[in-house]
């Protein structure tokens, strides 16, 4: 299981991501998300959480990208509050 919380919308390749007591580099996170196929992104809509499945992820010029249209609610929610959480599972882990 991968659980990541972000307080910013861009994670640089040089940033380490701490997951529980484990530290992964961004390439490991990217590889895990690609293998999972589907992961879940949680945002805040006013005072309510919103969780939705995603399947696209990109690693470009040292940044991890979650892809969505700018006009979608998820993009608007992230613009208003960049504190998001991402969850991914693979083979029951």
């Amino acid at each position: 299981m991968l659980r990541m919380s972000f307080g910013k919308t861009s994670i640089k390749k040089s940033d380490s991501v701490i997951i529980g007591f484990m530290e992964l580099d961004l390439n490991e996170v990217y590889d895990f998300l690609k293998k999972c196929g589907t992961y879940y992104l949680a945002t805040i809509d006013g005072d309510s959480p919103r969780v939705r499945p995603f399947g696209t992820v990109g690693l470009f010029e040292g940044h991890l990208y979650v892809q969505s249209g700018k006009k979608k609610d998820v993009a608007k929610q992230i613009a208003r509050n960049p504190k998001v959480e991402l969850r991914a599972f693979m083979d029951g882990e």
Side-chain angles (χ1 to χ4, degrees):
M1 176 177 67
L2 172 66
R3 176 181 177 265
M4 299 167 44
S5 296
F6 305 115
K8 55 186 177 178
T9 55
S10 176
I11 304 297
K12 295 179 185 174
K13 189 173 184 177
S14 60
D15 292 344
S16 291
V17 179
I18 297 174
I19 302 165
F21 298 109
M22 185 172 55
E23 189 172 316
L24 300 174
D25 73 28
L26 208 48
N27 287 320
E28 291 174 296
V29 172
Y30 171 78
D31 290 342
F32 186 82
L33 292 175
K34 291 298 279 185
K35 288 177 188 173
C36 288
T38 301
Y39 58 92
Y40 299 87
L41 182 71
T43 60
I44 302 291
D45 185 12
D47 63 350
S48 299
R50 299 287 180 243
V51 180
R52 57 192 53 83
F54 274 80
T56 58
V57 64
L59 190 59
F60 181 70
E61 294 185 354
H63 290 77
L64 184 69
Y65 289 90
V66 171
Q67 301 164 8
S68 176
K70 289 191 284 184
K71 294 185 179 186
K72 291 193 172 194
D73 288 341
V74 65
K76 294 174 187 174
Q77 292 159 7
I78 293 170
R80 282 192 300 268
N81 184 349
K83 294 179 180 176
V84 301
E85 186 166 306
L86 188 145
R87 286 253 175 152
F89 303 87
M90 184 173 60
D91 299 328
E93 297 181 22

